[in-house]
Amino acid sequence: MLEVKADALEQSFEAFEDYGVAALKDELEQLKSKIAAGVIAAQRPALDGVKSVASASFVDGYLRKGNESGLEMKALGSSSDAIGGYAVPEEIDAVIDRTLTAISPIRAIANVVKVGSAGYRKLVTTGGTPSGWVGFEAARPMTGTPTFTEVVPPSGELYANPAASQQMLDDAAFDVESWLANEIATEFARAEGMAFVKGNGTNQPLGFLSSPNATTADGVRPIGTLQTIGTGAAGAFAATNPADKLVDLVQALRAPYRQGAVFVMNSSTLAAIRKFKTADGAFLFQPSLAAGQPATLLGYSVVEAEDMPDIAAGSLSIAFGNFKAGYVIAERNATQILRDPFTNKPYVHFYATPDL
């Protein structure tokens, strides 16, 4: 009588288990060797709020140490692509954009267009597109052809060139990403805020106050010419019913553009406007009653822009209009940064440009 230790089927399962365990161990050892050699990166779930690989590489590799490997180069000069900087990661660019919108008042209310080059063009129809009425089954004769006007925003290169010592960059506690983003955004906001209001259009944006102006109404003025309304007194508002001119200013704007229109003035002018009252003693200016809600004047939002001129004889101290429809800001998609550790040793300069 024979004693059976294992049948054929059980032996096959044991052999498979032994082979499977050995194969898994072998694959695990190979994977560990590749990770240690840097062939592949260890895959771990990303934690909430952790910077992207591109941002960490840009900050720790390029900004702190000048390591240029794996970065996207952007041309800063028209002569050759070799004269270039590096596009900042989306995290840094987003901080710059948010700060610019918060600090630069005109950017927040204008039509900002992202472009890929400095040759942006916009076609505007003057007089609208002709149309006509016909019966349901009547012939459709050709309507008139609209007249197009090409608008070419003046372009120029805005730059910032903040510096930090190499000792600061080597300090791990120094948040170079936040420092650089805030420095660039603050300088850009100050410069572009002035240019959007009174820039001369030569290697910089054309400010709306630098555009031609006339007292004639719509349909008479050429396109690009702004309408002006005087207060009736030199360097001041009229002594009686001073707010009447504000009403005239609002009603001079065509009805389709009043929705979304805003007042723009500096704090000194706003201080004078806030004292205007109605016949029953109510203030025309209504301060904001909730966070994030703008103050209003005659039912329209008020934007403070310190680059607007004070009240004076012949000054254009108050602007009113729909800036989304009337003022275009064309800018490049990303900010570029060129690291310069040689010009001013021991400081490292970061030459940043967003083309406007």
Side-chain angles (χ1 to χ4, degrees), residues 264-285:
V264 179
M265 64 191 78
N266 67 18
S267 57
S268 175
T269 304
L270 184 57
I273 297 296
R274 293 190 65 169
K275 301 170 185 175
F276 289 177
K277 299 179 182 179
T278 61
D280 57 358
F283 287 100
L284 294 178
F285 178 86

Side-chain angles (χ1 to χ4, degrees), residues 55-67 71 88-89 92 166 169 176-181 337-339 348 350:
S55 179
S57 174
F58 182 83
V59 174
D60 295 331
Y62 182 65
L63 296 183
R64 292 187 185 274
K65 303 175 182 178
N67 184 8
L71 299 180
V88 302
I92 300 179
Q166 187 62 53
L169 298 178
V176 62
E177 180 178 353
S178 297
W179 167 79
L180 186 60
I337 292 181
L338 182 64
R339 189 178 189 272
V348 178
F350 296 97

Side-chain angles (χ1 to χ4, degrees), residues 123-132 141-149:
L123 291 178
V124 178
T125 58
T126 56
T129 302
S131 59
M142 185 177 68
T143 59
T145 302
T147 302
F148 289 92
T149 299

Side-chain angles (χ1 to χ4, degrees), residues 15 40 47 214 217-218 238 259 315:
I40 60 175
L47 301 177
D218 293 343
Q259 186 172 358
S315 70

Side-chain angles (χ1 to χ4, degrees), residues 44-220:
R44 296 182 178 179
L47 301 177
D48 185 31
V50 175
K51 298 176 183 177
S52 68
V53 175
S55 179
S57 174
F58 182 83
V59 174
D60 295 331
Y62 182 65
L63 296 183
R64 292 187 185 274
K65 303 175 182 178
N67 184 8
E68 302 176 357
S69 60
L71 299 180
E72 179 187 1
M73 176 172 279
K74 295 289 186 178
L76 292 181
S78 58
S79 57
S80 67
D81 289 342
I83 308 175
Y86 294 95
V88 302
E90 293 182 357
E91 291 89 342
I92 300 179
D93 211 37
V95 173
I96 295 174
D97 284 343
R98 286 196 301 268
T99 307
L100 285 176
T101 302
I103 298 178
S104 180
I106 306 303
R107 174 182 286 272
I109 61 176
N111 180 20
V112 180
V113 179
K114 299 286 187 179
V115 298
S117 65
Y120 175 74
R121 303 288 191 274
K122 182 178 181 179
L123 291 178
V124 178
T125 58
T126 56
T129 302
S131 59
W133 291 94
V134 295
F136 287 109
E137 299 181 359
R140 267 65 175 170
M142 185 177 68
T143 59
T145 302
T147 302
F148 289 92
T149 299
E150 185 181 54
V151 177
V152 183
S155 61
E157 188 172 79
L158 175 64
Y159 76 94
N161 195 25
S165 67
Q166 187 62 53
Q167 184 179 8
M168 293 172 61
L169 298 178
D170 292 338
D171 186 355
F174 175 56
D175 190 351
V176 62
E177 180 178 353
S178 297
W179 167 79
L180 186 60
N182 290 327
E183 284 289 315
I184 293 174
T186 301
E187 179 57 27
F188 284 172
R190 182 200 62 78
E192 74 176 27
M194 181 277 297
F196 295 156
V197 173
K198 51 187 178 183
N200 58 21
T202 302
N203 297 326
Q204 61 181 266
L206 178 66
F208 59 87
L209 291 187
S210 299
S211 300
N213 62 80
T215 58
T216 50
D218 293 343
V220 180

